[in-house]
């Protein structure tokens, strides 16, 4: 899921991680090493890619982990809900998608 840090606007991708699933976390990746992200920040869907609407709460940052090999950060995200306890869901059938407009080029 394309996502961003609600407080700072930093963007990344949230995905499931097999090694973190038993701890109840997912992972936000592709954050630059200089990203303004802190433990406790809320992570929400970005709407980029038009699969999920913008602004859906995904979870909160539990831990920030530097990746020395790629010089990026990843964040362990505590999901907003415990998926094991869900008994009702809302299905989004349609929404006005958000798309990025290409930058104007000067001639």
């Amino acid at each position: 899921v394309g996502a961003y840090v609600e407080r700072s606007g930093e963007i990344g991708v949230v995905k499931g991680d097999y090694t973190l699933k038993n701890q109840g976390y997912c992972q936000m990746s592709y954050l630059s090493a200089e990203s303004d992200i802190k433990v406790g920040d809320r992570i929400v869907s970005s709407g980029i890619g038009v699969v999920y609407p913008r602004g859906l709460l995904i979870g909160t940052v539990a831990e920030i982990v530097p990746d020395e090999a790629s010089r990026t950060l990843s964040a362990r995200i505590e999901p907003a809900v415990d998926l094991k306890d869900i008994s009702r869901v809302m299905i989004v059938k349609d929404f006005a998608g958000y798309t990025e407009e290409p930058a104007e080029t000067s001639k």
Side-chain angles (χ1 to χ4, degrees), residues 8-85:
S8 66
E10 298 288 343
I11 59 170
V13 175
V14 175
K15 60 184 178 177
D17 182 286
Y18 187 76
T19 59
L20 295 176
K21 88 173 181 150
N22 291 331
Q23 299 170 22
Y25 297 115
C26 51
Q27 180 169 305
M28 185 171 186
S29 303
Y30 307 112
L31 295 161
S32 76
E34 296 82 27
S35 292
D36 182 11
I37 186 170
K38 298 177 182 177
V39 171
D41 279 343
R42 289 169 39 113
I43 306 300
V44 295
S45 59
S46 67
I48 297 172
V50 299
V51 174
Y52 300 100
R54 181 179 178 93
L56 295 176
L57 179 62
I58 296 170
T60 57
V61 176
E63 183 180 1
I64 300 163
V65 181
D67 182 342
E68 299 298 327
S70 66
R71 296 186 183 157
T72 62
L73 299 175
S74 62
R76 291 188 178 155
I77 308 299
E78 183 175 348
V81 297
D82 185 349
L83 299 177
K84 296 175 192 169
D85 293 335

Side-chain angles (χ1 to χ4, degrees), residues 53 56 86-93:
L56 295 176
I86 292 180
S87 61
R88 295 181 185 197
V89 297
M90 177 181 69
I91 298 172
V92 178
K93 293 173 59 177

Side-chain angles (χ1 to χ4, degrees), residues 3-4 9 11 46-50 54 97-104:
Y4 69 97
I11 59 170
S46 67
I48 297 172
V50 299
R54 181 179 178 93
Y98 169 82
T99 58
E100 298 262 332
E101 294 293 326
E104 297 272 337

